[in-house]
Amino acid sequence: VELLVCLREVLRRRFVGRIPSDELVETHLRLLTVVDRAIGVAARHSVSRLSKEAYIDQATGLLNRRALDWDLEREIGRSARYGRAFTLALLVPERTSATPEEMDRELSMISAALRDALRTGDAAYRADTDQLVVLLPETDRELADVVLDRVERSGAPVFRSGVASFPMDGPD
């Protein structure tokens, strides 16, 4: 965007004296229109990219806590409205005394296993420095255990897990 703003001034300086005076105003306005449209496209692209990055954990590539809060509120409403269950699973690597870099590496390996094991519509999040959360819509505890077994069998680092289902384990 910054370069496009500068481009407007560069073009003005470059064309002054080279364009016949009777065409100068119209040409200048057309150039401004083109540059302004390009600035708009670049700005929309930047906003879109930043919006996506605001919901992604950079270390694991999973959705982050902000996305979890947003999606969980939506899923509670949907489940309450249609009378369907959903399950949350909390995963914590077995090795909790790791350095931050080692923790990121372990969580990244578990994250890769989650991406392979989850069904379409399921979502995984990095909820804290050492915690991953999996949101399993329209899933009860038994099916959640099947999903977690697939993650374990995929060769992911050893992790502890717990599950809670809505509304069976409480309305909130």
Side-chain angles (χ1 to χ4, degrees):
V1 173
E2 293 172 16
L3 293 175
L4 290 171
V5 170
C6 294
L7 177 63
R8 182 185 301 157
E9 182 60 22
V10 168
L11 288 173
R12 188 188 67 74
R13 289 180 184 177
R14 174 138 319 207
F15 290 117
V16 168
R18 295 183 181 193
I19 298 174
S21 59
D22 60 326
E23 296 177 12
L24 187 59
V25 172
E26 182 180 347
T27 302
H28 181 69
L29 290 175
R30 286 183 180 188
L31 285 173
L32 287 178
T33 301
V34 169
V35 172
D36 287 347
R37 286 183 182 168
I39 289 171
V41 169
R44 282 191 299 277
H45 178 72
S46 294
V47 166
S48 175
R49 183 179 51 79
L50 290 173
S51 294
K52 289 177 186 171
E53 288 178 7
Y55 292 99
I56 303 291
D57 175 67
Q58 297 302 311
T60 62
L62 296 180
L63 296 166
N64 63 20
R65 178 61 185 249
R66 182 179 297 129
L68 173 61
D69 292 343
W70 179 269
D71 290 349
L72 190 55
E73 185 176 324
R74 184 193 69 233
E75 194 59 40
I76 289 170
R78 182 183 356 223
S79 293
R81 183 171 42 255
Y82 297 113
R84 296 189 176 129
F86 72 87
T87 298
L88 283 176
L90 176 69
L91 286 66
V92 179
E94 193 66 34
R95 263 184 32 184
T96 56
S97 61
T99 66
E101 294 79 20
E102 291 171 333
M103 181 60 66
D104 283 348
R105 192 171 29 259
E106 282 196 35
L107 289 174
S108 292
M109 290 189 291
I110 295 171
S111 299
L114 283 170
R115 280 190 284 278
D116 291 339
L118 295 182
R119 308 160 302 171
T120 302
D122 297 341
Y125 309 82
R126 184 172 187 176
D128 205 348
T129 55
D130 65 343
Q131 298 175 349
L132 301 178
V133 172
V134 180
L135 175 61
L136 303 164
E138 303 201 25
T139 303
D140 59 19
R141 285 175 167 271
E142 292 77 28
L143 189 52
D145 289 337
V146 171
V147 172
L148 293 176
D149 286 342
R150 279 198 311 254
V151 175
E152 288 176 359
R153 284 191 310 250
S154 72
V158 178
F159 60 87
R160 293 175 281 138
S161 64
V163 296
S165 296
F166 177 88
M168 289 70 78
D169 292 323
D172 55 357

